[in-house]
Structure formats: structure tokens, C-alpha cells
Amino acid sequence: MPFARIDLAQGKNQEYRAAVADIVYQGIVGVLKAPDGDRFIVVNEHKPENLIYDPTFLSMQRSPDFMLIQVTSTVGNTKDQKLAFYRQIADELKSKLGVRPDDITINMVFVKQEDWSFGRGEPWN
């Protein structure tokens, strides 16, 4: 059960935000092998002063189009799957939306199944 958060600066239109969410979802299903329909994504827009990042950390050249993508999952993906996911997201964002690869930061967080409740205050079994 992956859950994705996408944080970016205010100003992108609804079509752009939806396309970013679609690209992330396609990577979650296609590369990380989550079941189709397991789509839980939040897109957060921030005023520029509230999206704080180092523009040159690790020799990158980040612009105001910087975005942070965080995927939380119970799936224990392999290192190769994670690397393939990062590459697919960066490639698709660049080819479909013109996002510069230096402007994409991706973080994966893995938790146990007991760390989720999908509703009714009941744990996911």
C-alpha cells in the first residue's frame, strides 16, 4: 500500500499537478508492483518561502520548480526496483512535463502493515 506525497511550489495548473500524480502512480504500479487501483496521492502546493531546500546540495542546480516526492509503503522493494523507480519518475517528468532532473528529489519510507488504518479506526490486517 504505497502513499505518495508530492510537494511543489504554488503556481502550477491543475493539469500539471494531475500529470505529476499520474507519473508517480504509474511508477508505483509499474515498477514498485503495487496493485492497480492502490492510488493514494496528495499534492501539496507551497508558497516559495515555505518550500525550503538547498539549491546546490550534492552539486545539483535546483530551480524554483523543485519538487519533493515521498512514497511511504509496506512493500520491501529491492534496491534495483527503487533505483528503477527513481529513474522512471525522473525520465517521465522530464519527457512529459519538462521538469529538470536536478529539480526532482524522491524519498522512500518503509513501514509495517500494522502502521496503517484505512478507516473505521481498524488496523490493516
Side-chain angles (χ1 to χ4, degrees), residues 5-9 42-46 51 66-69:
R5 297 183 61 95
I6 302 165
D7 292 277
L8 44 86
V42 175
V43 179
N44 294 300
E45 291 185 287
H46 304 276
L51 187 59
F66 170 78
M67 68 175 66
L68 175 61
I69 300 165

Side-chain angles (χ1 to χ4, degrees), residues 2-98:
F3 168 67
R5 297 183 61 95
I6 302 165
D7 292 277
L8 44 86
Q10 285 179 334
K12 300 297 184 188
N13 64 36
Q14 188 276 331
E15 291 82 14
Y16 179 94
R17 295 188 313 270
V20 172
D22 287 345
I23 288 166
V24 171
Y25 175 70
Q26 290 164 5
I28 287 170
V29 172
V31 179
L32 300 181
K33 304 303 181 196
D36 193 20
D38 191 353
R39 185 179 174 112
F40 295 89
I41 300 172
V42 175
V43 179
N44 294 300
E45 291 185 287
H46 304 276
K47 292 180 181 179
E49 63 268 20
N50 291 331
L51 187 59
I52 302 166
Y53 56 92
D54 187 310
T56 59
F57 183 67
L58 296 177
S59 301
M60 300 292 169
Q61 298 300 315
R62 295 175 187 87
S63 77
D65 289 328
F66 170 78
M67 68 175 66
L68 175 61
I69 300 165
Q70 183 175 62
V71 178
T72 302
S73 178
T74 57
V75 179
N77 298 103
T78 67
K79 181 179 178 179
D80 287 343
Q81 286 173 309
K82 293 173 193 176
L83 297 176
F85 177 73
Y86 303 153
R87 173 58 40 217
Q88 179 171 326
I89 299 303
D91 290 349
E92 290 293 300
L93 287 171
K94 181 180 179 183
S95 71
K96 293 182 177 172
L97 297 173

Side-chain angles (χ1 to χ4, degrees), residues 98-110:
V99 179
R100 298 170 54 253
D102 281 9
D103 286 330
I104 305 163
T105 295
I106 304 171
N107 171 250
M108 308 260 326
V109 178
F110 294 94

